[in-house]
Amino acid sequence: MELIELGTFSENVYASNTMFVDVDVREFLYSDNEYQPTSSVEPIIWEDNDCFADELPDIVDKGERVVNFITAQIIMSFDPYGVEVYPAKLKLADAAVEGRYLMSVKNIIDVMDESESSIEISPVDGERLVHDVYISTEKLSKIPLHKRLVFRVKGADDTIFFDGRIIDAADKYFSIHGAKLIQITPFNTSEEAPIL
């Protein structure tokens, strides 16, 4: 079976010092895992009073992602299933930055290769603790492409994964135009998935 190219990209949390918090009452629109597409005229506001405009990454990651216009455009040009996009505004110590988009991924699919992944059962509460994730080529290939362009893995849903075509498009754009504090990690289904 042919391997599937995937990848992740997000804020480079090791190089960035941002600590954004949501400061508006609409977190309920995007903070659960239910896919219920909605829209918003006014931007959703995240704030970091210790971050300055010249330190702001192109992607801000705190579970959900706030991305710049180009990144949102690249991702949404593929019309991925289960992705909600809202206008966003980042309040900083010295500025307020608009033209950003909050991207909430509600597409959680059961594609973990449990025989390869490292899974432990907590002796305290019986919860499954996933330490290393491998994505099953067989399970993923059975899912229609539009439903696996952007997804989270059931049981290890902290990380957002992108189809290799989206990773290639983003990587080409960023290599030409630059990307501030973004980390891109391509991989394929024979390799351990990079989880955050």
Side-chain angles (χ1 to χ4, degrees):
M1 184 168 286
E2 190 174 337
L3 299 175
I4 300 172
E5 298 296 322
L6 300 166
T8 65
F9 64 93
S10 66
E11 176 182 3
N12 185 340
V13 294
Y14 301 110
S16 174
N17 294 320
T18 64
M19 293 296 291
F20 280 90
V21 294
D22 3 36
V23 293
D24 94 30
V25 296
R26 294 174 292 163
E27 183 180 2
F28 70 91
L29 289 175
Y30 58 87
S31 63
D32 65 17
N33 285 329
E34 295 298 317
Y35 181 44
Q36 299 176 359
T38 55
S39 63
S40 172
V41 172
E42 295 298 318
I44 291 173
I45 301 169
W46 283 5
E47 182 176 63
D48 183 344
N49 289 322
D50 296 323
C51 181
F52 292 89
D54 63 346
E55 303 168 341
L56 182 65
D58 287 334
I59 296 175
V60 175
D61 190 351
K62 61 180 227 54
E64 307 303 339
R65 305 262 165 90
V66 171
V67 300
N68 62 18
F69 173 77
I70 294 297
T71 305
Q73 190 175 41
I74 290 168
I75 294 167
M76 296 313 290
S77 71
F78 287 85
D79 194 22
Y81 171 83
V83 178
E84 297 173 3
V85 177
Y86 301 94
K89 177 178 178 180
L90 300 175
K91 286 189 172 181
L92 311 172
D94 61 344
V97 177
E98 296 195 51
R100 298 282 176 130
Y101 296 88
L102 187 145
M103 185 181 78
S104 180
V105 176
K106 307 297 179 76
N107 187 22
I108 300 172
I109 56 179
D110 184 8
V111 292
M112 187 185 304
D113 184 335
E114 297 199 15
S115 65
E116 292 292 323
S117 300
S118 173
I119 303 169
E120 172 188 1
I121 305 299
S122 169
V124 176
D125 57 11
E127 291 232 358
R128 287 171 35 119
L129 306 171
V130 180
H131 301 292
D132 301 317
V133 173
Y134 284 82
I135 295 174
S136 166
T137 305
E138 183 179 347
K139 286 182 181 179
L140 192 60
S141 64
K142 290 179 181 174
I143 295 173
L145 179 60
H146 74 283
K147 289 193 173 183
R148 60 180 162 98
L149 288 168
V150 179
F151 65 94
R152 296 178 191 265
V153 174
K154 183 178 180 182
D157 56 0
D158 290 339
T159 303
I160 299 171
F161 295 101
F162 298 89
D163 181 80
R165 287 163 272 235
I166 296 175
I167 293 296
D168 289 346
D171 195 31
K172 282 178 189 165
Y173 180 84
F174 296 147
S175 66
I176 294 168
H177 300 284
K180 188 171 183 184
L181 297 172
I182 292 179
Q183 179 175 333
I184 298 175
T185 310
F187 70 102
N188 66 47
T189 49
S190 73
E191 301 170 300
E192 180 182 338
I195 56 175
L196 302 174

